[in-house]
Amino acid sequence: MFQMSNQKMLDKEQQHYAKAARIKYFDIVIKSGKGAILTDEDDNKYIDLLSSASSTNTGHSHPHVVKAIQDQANQLIQYTPAYFATTPEAELTPRVAALAPIEGPVKVAFGNSGSDANDAIIKFARAYTGRQYIVSFTGAYHGSTYGSISTSGVSLNMTRKIGPLLPGVVKVPFPSPWYKLPHESDDDFSDRMFAAFKLPFETYLPADETAVIEIEAIQGDGGFVKAPEKFLNQVYQFAQAHGILFAIDEVNQGLGRSGKMWSIDHFPDVHPDLVAVGKSIASGLPLSAVLGRKEVLDALDAPGNVYTTAGNPVTTAAANATLDVIEDENLVQRSAKLGKQAHQFFDKMKNKFSFVGDVRIYGLNGGIDIVNPETGKPDSEAATKLICRIFELGALMITVRGNILRFQPPLVIKESDLKKAFAMIEQAMQELNEGKLTKSPTNMGW
């Protein structure tokens, strides 16, 4: 068969592909992947430092997952769980419930994406509490359906031209490090941000009419920022005191990504009522889940959260195989171990190059700020030059918030490939430091 090049395929696709459906980065068409290595239509190979937006923690085409998909496709591809259970779904449900970072009996509701899992959190929270208001945080990315896009707060293009959005949603400031004042202690910063969190409740938002507070314990697209422990504890205690449900979005950060099974495991005193899971639960196949306390999920009757294809036989078979891989290959522990190497490397880059600002690494996962050395302000142009040069050298890395390098390789990445990627990043940074990187594409990234 005649093989088209990247550019020829893109030229044909772009005549018909909606611009709202893809964030602009590199002009490639990915043909195949194995482990942490991707191949494009021109047969160029890349070390993947993105993991398909953290949806392939087990790597690309893991043989155990592939076999599970193939075997299930030979048995039954689809029958809607809206009416009947299927074997892999019935096996997966108690398994996922047992993993939930929730105290007491847990129930599970499946969906097709992290977006509808976060929509489900809104529905179940309102049904259980009988309250209307939903509280989320600036910098959040919860998804693109109308409910989840209403609770998101990371891009103006997620609100521009599509309002009005879901009513009853109130956003409060997330304690990102760039809001910290010079010489402000961690405790004082947490207290100040908690005061900002409480301000709506003291002025116009009745706590007794608030159904749920949802947060990413480690924000992903908002900059890869872990909430200060004191702050998160304060918010959780506030929710407990006022009968408000507490929900954690684990779509990006769950399933070993942060060096623990769940990002909320970094906060031992917080016990969520609801958890949204997606992306890597089925190694990137369209499956999500909302996990919740039994009494909360029992508050809504069918068909209040029914989807024709949610939890179908193939995706749930893939999810069972994915959990096998996470357990059998100790991927949570591996993420923590290799994450330490990544932290050491990026700290070394920070000490070596003045344009590397804050480094935030949690497992094989994090954000590296690229800043103007003279002002300390974000430098999106320099960050774009870096990812373009890293791409030329043979690794896929993108930015969030314009100036933050996103680091999320598959948890199965070989140490040798990780070191190769580090060498590429260091070379690109060295060339930027020497003024050799002149390319600066426009309209790239978030």
Side-chain angles (χ1 to χ4, degrees):
M1 181 185 291
F2 174 73
Q3 180 177 326
M4 283 191 175
S5 67
N6 284 325
Q7 198 55 57
K8 284 183 178 179
M9 292 194 77
L10 285 170
D11 288 345
K12 290 186 69 174
E13 183 220 31
Q14 290 303 304
Q15 296 176 43
H16 308 285
Y17 198 81
K19 65 180 182 178
R22 179 177 298 149
I23 299 167
K24 169 69 175 174
Y25 284 104
F26 308 117
D27 291 333
I28 58 172
V29 177
I30 297 170
K31 177 174 63 176
S32 63
K34 196 70 175 175
I37 305 299
L38 296 169
T39 303
D40 70 10
E41 279 291 336
D42 290 334
D43 290 325
N44 300 306
K45 294 189 182 300
Y46 307 93
I47 300 172
D48 185 8
L49 301 181
L50 178 59
S51 298
S52 184
S54 193
S55 67
T56 53
N57 287 1
T58 58
H60 302 289
S61 299
H62 191 288
H64 183 61
V65 179
V66 170
K67 186 175 188 305
I69 293 169
Q70 291 172 334
D71 289 349
Q72 182 56 49
N74 280 325
Q75 294 285 328
L76 178 69
I77 291 177
Q78 163 66 359
Y79 209 93
T80 177
Y83 298 128
F84 307 108
T86 62
T87 301
E89 176 272 318
E91 293 172 348
L92 179 64
T93 299
R95 195 173 180 186
V96 173
L99 290 174
I102 296 171
E103 291 187 324
V106 172
K107 285 200 169 181
V108 180
F110 290 115
N112 297 294
S113 72
S115 296
D116 61 47
N118 284 310
D119 276 12
I121 280 177
I122 296 170
K123 291 189 284 187
F124 284 112
R126 283 178 167 173
Y128 177 72
T129 62
R131 302 173 178 184
Q132 64 164 313
Y133 291 111
I134 312 297
V135 175
S136 62
F137 288 78
T138 57
Y141 181 83
H142 295 303
S144 288
T145 53
Y146 254 96
S148 61
I149 210 168
S150 298
T151 54
S152 297
V154 73
S155 170
L156 289 173
N157 283 347
M158 296 179 77
T159 55
R160 184 178 278 122
K161 301 180 181 179
I162 60 175
L165 298 180
L166 188 72
V169 174
V170 176
K171 294 185 179 72
V172 291
F174 188 87
S176 298
W178 38 87
Y179 299 134
K180 194 173 182 182
L181 301 175
H183 312 300
E184 188 174 30
S185 71
D186 291 342
D187 279 356
D188 287 347
F189 177 56
S190 289
D191 289 341
R192 182 167 62 82
M193 296 305 294
F194 182 58
F197 163 83
K198 289 192 298 181
L199 184 60
F201 293 100
E202 296 168 346
T203 53
Y204 66 90
L205 175 62
D208 59 359
E209 294 183 25
T210 301
V212 66
I213 297 166
E214 183 173 21
I215 191 170
E216 296 165 275
I218 300 175
Q219 276 197 347
D221 295 295
F224 295 88
V225 177
K226 179 174 176 282
E229 187 168 0
K230 181 179 181 181
F231 172 83
L232 199 63
N233 287 341
Q234 288 173 316
V235 172
Y236 174 66
Q237 290 160 10
F238 180 91
Q240 292 286 98
H242 294 279
I244 302 170
L245 296 180
F246 197 75
I248 299 294
D249 183 344
E250 293 280 359
V251 174
N252 189 305
Q253 294 291 310
L255 298 159
R257 175 53 64 186
S258 71
K260 294 183 180 291
M261 178 58 81
W262 308 107
S263 65
I264 197 60
D265 291 340
H266 293 272
F267 302 85
D269 295 327
V270 177
H271 308 288
D273 302 291
L274 291 158
V275 176
V277 186
K279 291 187 183 284
S280 278
I281 189 173
S283 292
L285 265 61
L287 179 68
S288 67
V290 56
L291 319 178
R293 288 194 292 116
K294 176 182 181 297
E295 58 269 30
V296 178
L297 261 64
D298 280 346
L300 198 60
D301 290 326
N305 197 62
V306 162
Y307 306 94
T308 301
T309 58
N312 80 18
V314 173
T315 61
T316 51
N320 278 308
T322 297
L323 294 181
D324 291 343
V325 173
I326 291 172
E327 294 166 8
D328 296 345
E329 298 186 16
N330 300 309
L331 293 191
V332 178
Q333 297 86 340
R334 197 167 193 276
S335 176
K337 175 189 171 185
L338 295 184
K340 290 178 181 178
Q341 294 183 25
H343 213 310
Q344 291 170 356
F345 168 75
F346 286 113
D347 279 345
K348 176 184 171 186
M349 295 302 97
K350 181 178 180 178
N351 291 330
K352 185 174 182 179
F353 301 113
S354 58
F355 54 76
V356 178
D358 194 29
V359 169
R360 299 174 298 279
I361 301 292
Y362 322 100
L364 275 176
N365 169 60
I368 300 91
D369 294 352
I370 304 302
V371 300
N372 183 310
E374 295 180 2
T375 65
K377 300 293 184 183
D379 192 338
S380 297
E381 183 178 358
T384 302
K385 289 179 180 178
L386 282 173
I387 62 169
C388 288
R389 182 57 179 143
I390 291 166
F391 171 71
E392 291 173 347
L393 293 170
L396 282 183
M397 194 176 209
I398 67 167
T399 54
V400 295
R401 293 184 64 94
N403 75 303
I404 299 172
L405 304 182
R406 177 175 184 164
F407 176 75
Q408 289 187 305
L411 307 186
V412 298
I413 189 171
K414 296 177 181 177
E415 289 193 51
S416 58
D417 287 333
L418 188 61
K419 289 176 181 177
K420 287 178 186 176
F422 289 159
M424 294 173 190
I425 294 168
E426 184 167 9
Q427 180 179 336
M429 288 183 171
Q430 183 64 47
E431 291 175 3
L432 177 66
N433 193 57
E434 294 172 359
K436 294 180 179 178
L437 303 187
T438 56
K439 293 182 181 178
S440 182
T442 57
N443 300 320
M444 181 176 279
W446 284 76

